[in-house]
């Protein structure tokens, strides 16, 4: 791929964006089985010493799980991502380890996570009280993945839900 545009060239791994010739209302639908998109290059080149912000509109049932987007990989210290837990929470992950989390209702929600040097501030629809764990220690990953984490192969890593919009930037504002 080699650009910051996310793509999926394997037809069986492509999330659904249209049905019967019309675009889906929820934009990109991930089936929780094998769908994902990747950039093939670093989007946000920050370590745990830096600042990162993620914002997005998602539609994930409260009992479904999966990575929304980010740079997490298959180790405890590779990248940072947003994850939907099957126990009605969104979490920020350090590699594949969940750290800070916040309750979610399910359905269409705006989730935001602003991370700065060992602390993430999470909101759902502009409100909520998060549980802070801290202890972040992650390195830069060369992949930005949507609907999974890099190298994710289990049903708990593939997203079962939809994403309408993502904004990810190198800032805590």
């Amino acid at each position: 791929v080699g650009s910051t545009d996310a793509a999926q060239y394997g037809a069986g791994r492509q999330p659904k964006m249209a049905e019967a010739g019309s675009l889906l209302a929820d934009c990109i639908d991930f089936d929780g089985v094998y769908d994902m998109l990747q950039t093939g290059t670093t989007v946000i080149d920050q370590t745990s010493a830096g600042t990162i912000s993620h914002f997005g509109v998602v539609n994930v049932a409260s009992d479904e799980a999966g990575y929304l987007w980010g740079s997490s990989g298959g180790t405890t210290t590779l990248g940072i991502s947003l994850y939907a837990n099957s126990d009605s929470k969104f979490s920020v992950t350090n590699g594949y380890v969940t750290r800070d989390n916040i309750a979610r209702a399910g359905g269409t929600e705006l989730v935001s996570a602003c991370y700065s040097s060992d602390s993430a501030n999470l909101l759902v629809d502009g409100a909520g009280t998060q549980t802070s764990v801290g202890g972040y220690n992650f390195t830069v990953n060369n992949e930005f993945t949507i609907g999974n984490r890099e190298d994710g192969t289990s049903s708990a890593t593939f997203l079962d839900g939809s994403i309408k919009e993502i904004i990810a930037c190198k800032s805590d504002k």
Side-chain angles (χ1 to χ4, degrees):
V1 175
S3 77
T4 57
D5 295 331
Q8 180 51 259
Y9 296 106
R13 299 193 74 179
Q14 293 173 353
K16 189 189 308 186
M17 294 183 222
E19 190 168 55
S22 297
L23 293 175
L24 298 175
D26 278 344
C27 295
I28 304 175
D29 185 37
F30 296 87
D31 66 7
V33 178
Y34 202 56
D35 299 347
M36 62 186 268
L37 299 169
Q38 282 187 315
T39 61
T41 190
T42 303
V43 172
I44 300 173
D45 61 348
Q46 287 290 355
T47 67
S48 52
T51 58
I52 301 167
S53 292
H54 290 242
F55 306 91
V57 178
V58 301
N59 187 345
V60 182
S62 61
D63 62 346
E64 294 293 344
Y67 282 84
L68 301 173
W69 60 81
S71 60
S72 289
T75 71
T76 59
T77 60
L78 185 57
I80 185 170
S81 291
L82 281 174
Y83 181 74
N85 293 287
S86 59
D87 63 351
S88 302
K89 294 178 184 150
F90 287 121
S91 294
V92 176
T93 68
N94 182 132
Y96 62 72
V97 178
T98 58
R99 295 287 183 200
D100 300 337
N101 61 68
I102 191 168
R104 63 186 181 97
T108 301
E109 296 172 300
L110 169 63
V111 60
S112 63
C114 297
Y115 170 87
S116 180
S117 300
D118 202 38
S119 177
N121 295 311
L122 288 155
L123 295 174
V124 175
D125 293 330
T129 302
Q130 75 177 35
T131 302
S132 295
V133 177
Y136 289 88
N137 178 22
F138 58 88
T139 58
V140 174
N141 187 2
N142 293 328
E143 297 279 355
F144 189 87
T145 306
I146 303 168
N148 197 352
R149 67 169 163 78
E150 180 187 42
D151 300 328
T153 58
S154 75
S155 61
T157 65
F158 285 101
L159 177 63
D160 188 359
S162 60
I163 298 175
K164 290 186 178 190
E165 183 173 2
I166 299 170
I167 299 171
C169 54
K170 192 167 139 177
S171 170
D172 63 350
K173 308 292 184 231

